[in-house]
Amino acid sequence: MRQDKASAGASSGDVREGPEAGLEAEAAKLLPFLAPGARVDLQAAAAQHVLALTGAESGRQLLAGQEALLHALAELAAASAPAPARDAARALVNLAADPSLHDSLLAADPGLPARLLDRALDPQWPWAEEAAATLANLSREPAPCATLMAAPAGVETGQSTLERLVCALCTRGYNAHAPLHYLGPLLSNLSRLPAARAFLLDHDRCVVQRLLPLIQCSDSAVRRGGVVGTLRNCCFEHRHHKWLLGPEVDILSFLLLPLAGPEDFSEEEMNRLPVDLQYLPPEKQREPDADIRKMLIEAIMLLTATAPGRQLVRDQGTYLILRELHSWEPEPDVRVACEKLIQVLIGDEPECGMENLLEVQVPEDVERQLQQLDCQEQKQLDREQQELAQEPRAEGTVPT
């Protein structure tokens, strides 16, 4: 996420002109006006100027060397004065969107992730979405993830970081001022950690069951993508596949529904599908975001890692949905992912001792060959994408 206002502000030209030394001096002059105790109108003007700087690569790199200024900006972003806090929070979003600046931000303010988490989960904080977006950007790196997981429990609720995050994400209208869509990618990033997956997959907490309906959230592709990414990461834990695929969770129906279209199956085929995928209305549309479609397919692929999982996935008519998806899918990389899953479902079972695909030890020479094939496949996909982009297309049409 990068704030549009910042990009617009950076296009004026003042940021890019002049020698670098002059820009550094200009940035350093902003520090007294960002500090606590400065006049609010001066804080607001300084925050706007920093926001404009963060809209350009040169401006962000310039600020990366201003540790005191970054610290003051972080403090201002969490301050109670609304106007300066808004622009300071948006500047942090832009800075955190650049991975090369993460170390500078965290060195300037090691407590930044925990403080932003408190703001993101404050139901009254008007800039909670900006705080969540900054955390979603920062948490792409391991260190901030670990910091967030180790954050102390909420003072009022006594809940852990993940408990508070899931509660905010799953509670409609949790914050009347902010939709909190970026809590989805934040949770997805945290779910890369084994401890986070252990929490999410705790059978007694029913966290996965709370997340599943958000796959269909029509308000935001950001939220949907974050939730699907979280569930995909959980599917790496093959010990929980039987529970995930069983009636207590029924994850497969939720993963397949966004991939299903309005196809009219035969009566025999319809009876092979889960009830929720039968007789879908003519206006039923597939998930519009290609990246999310691909993650849904990858999650189902992970659920086929074991022989019992493969059988359960086959038995629920998954092939029928994938067959129709493959015929419709306009994106080459998603179509390839679909083909790989279909091959697993219709292919022969692995030989004895190799039933769990997540635990198979691949010899080094075979792994090198597979990597070469992946490179060739990626080059082919890139060529197809380029050809697709060059085709003349009537406005509003989708290539088939």
Side-chain angles (χ1 to χ4, degrees):
M1 175 184 181
R2 184 162 290 155
Q3 296 296 323
D4 294 336
K5 178 180 175 183
S7 299
S11 65
S12 61
D14 349 335
V15 175
R16 299 190 181 106
E17 293 177 1
E20 186 174 337
L23 287 175
E24 288 182 2
E26 182 183 354
K29 288 178 182 177
L30 293 172
L31 179 58
F33 304 111
L34 292 171
R39 276 172 38 192
V40 173
D41 59 332
L42 296 178
Q43 280 184 332
Q48 286 177 353
H49 195 76
V50 173
L51 176 57
L53 282 170
T54 63
E57 170 70 18
S58 57
R60 292 191 295 274
Q61 292 303 322
L62 175 67
L63 293 171
Q66 303 286 332
E67 184 171 313
L69 189 147
L70 291 176
H71 182 79
L73 185 70
E75 285 195 337
L76 185 59
S80 55
R86 178 193 61 187
D87 287 338
R90 292 178 177 177
L92 283 182
V93 174
N94 289 351
L95 291 168
D98 188 337
S100 68
L101 271 65
H102 288 185
D103 288 344
S104 299
L105 281 170
L106 295 173
D109 188 353
L112 179 62
R115 189 159 64 251
L116 286 175
L117 181 68
D118 285 337
R119 284 308 193 191
L121 300 180
D122 182 347
Q124 307 302 322
W125 186 242
W127 319 124
E129 187 73 294
E130 283 79 3
T134 303
L135 286 173
N137 286 333
L138 285 174
S139 61
R140 288 178 291 179
E141 306 292 336
C145 283
T147 300
L148 290 171
M149 289 291 291
V155 177
E156 296 181 5
T157 63
Q159 295 177 316
S160 68
T161 293
L162 288 173
E163 286 173 320
R164 296 165 65 202
L165 202 162
V166 169
C167 177
L169 183 63
C170 296
T171 303
R172 191 172 185 84
Y174 178 88
N175 186 325
H177 311 285
L180 299 179
H181 296 316
Y182 280 88
L183 291 182
L186 172 58
L187 183 61
S188 179
N189 291 341
L190 292 176
S191 68
R192 293 175 301 172
L193 300 178
R197 294 197 298 275
F199 168 86
L200 295 166
L201 291 165
D202 187 323
H203 297 194
D204 296 327
R205 294 183 186 274
C206 297
V207 177
V208 171
Q209 291 92 322
R210 295 178 67 187
L211 293 174
L212 288 173
L214 298 181
I215 295 177
Q216 294 292 328
C217 172
S218 59
D219 296 343
S220 168
V222 170
R223 183 183 290 251
R224 290 198 310 276
V227 170
V228 171
T230 300
L231 295 170
R232 180 194 57 182
N233 290 345
C234 288
C235 290
F236 277 97
E237 301 290 343
H238 61 84
R239 294 169 299 168
H240 296 274
H241 283 183
K242 184 177 180 180
W243 174 70
L244 288 169
L245 289 165
E248 195 173 344
V249 179
D250 190 25
I251 192 173
L252 187 59
S253 294
F254 286 91
L255 297 176
L256 284 174
L257 186 57
L259 300 176
E263 290 80 21
D264 189 14
F265 295 103
S266 68
E267 195 68 26
E268 180 185 353
E269 288 179 331
M270 196 71 76
N271 289 332
R272 292 169 57 189
L273 295 170
V275 173
D276 290 341
L277 277 81
Q278 295 180 8
Y279 304 104
L280 297 175
E283 63 272 16
K284 170 68 172 72
Q285 296 188 1
R286 291 181 171 87
E287 165 58 53
D289 189 291
D291 290 334
I292 296 178
R293 292 197 302 274
K294 188 177 180 184
M295 285 194 291
L296 289 164
I297 294 170
E298 290 169 347
I300 299 171
M301 176 70 91
L302 289 167
L303 292 170
T304 66
T306 64
R310 287 189 290 277
Q311 194 58 50
L312 285 168
V313 172
R314 288 191 188 106
D315 290 346
Q316 296 193 54
T318 301
Y319 168 74
L320 300 173
I321 301 296
L322 294 176
R323 181 189 69 192
E324 301 303 321
L325 172 66
H326 185 268
S327 299
W328 169 91
E329 180 57 60
E331 296 295 333
D333 58 334
V334 183
R335 198 162 56 243
V336 168
C338 187
E339 290 168 1
K340 290 179 178 178
L341 179 52
I342 288 174
Q343 286 300 319
V344 170
L345 295 177
I346 67 176
D348 296 332
E349 277 294 299
E351 60 186 70
C352 183
M354 301 181 69
E355 295 91 343
N356 190 328
L357 304 180
L358 289 176
E359 293 183 340
V360 172
Q361 297 295 320
V362 181
E364 289 185 9
D365 58 330
V366 175
E367 187 172 356
R368 283 195 296 271
Q369 292 175 13
L370 292 173
Q371 288 173 351
Q372 290 174 356
L373 289 172
D374 282 343
C375 289
Q376 294 172 7
E377 184 180 279
Q378 187 58 51
K379 289 179 181 177
Q380 176 63 27
L381 286 174
D382 292 342
R383 282 196 295 270
E384 290 183 24
Q385 292 279 24
Q386 290 173 2
E387 292 171 2
L388 209 58
Q390 292 169 1
E391 288 180 5
R393 191 183 310 161
E395 186 174 352
T397 62
V398 178
T400 57

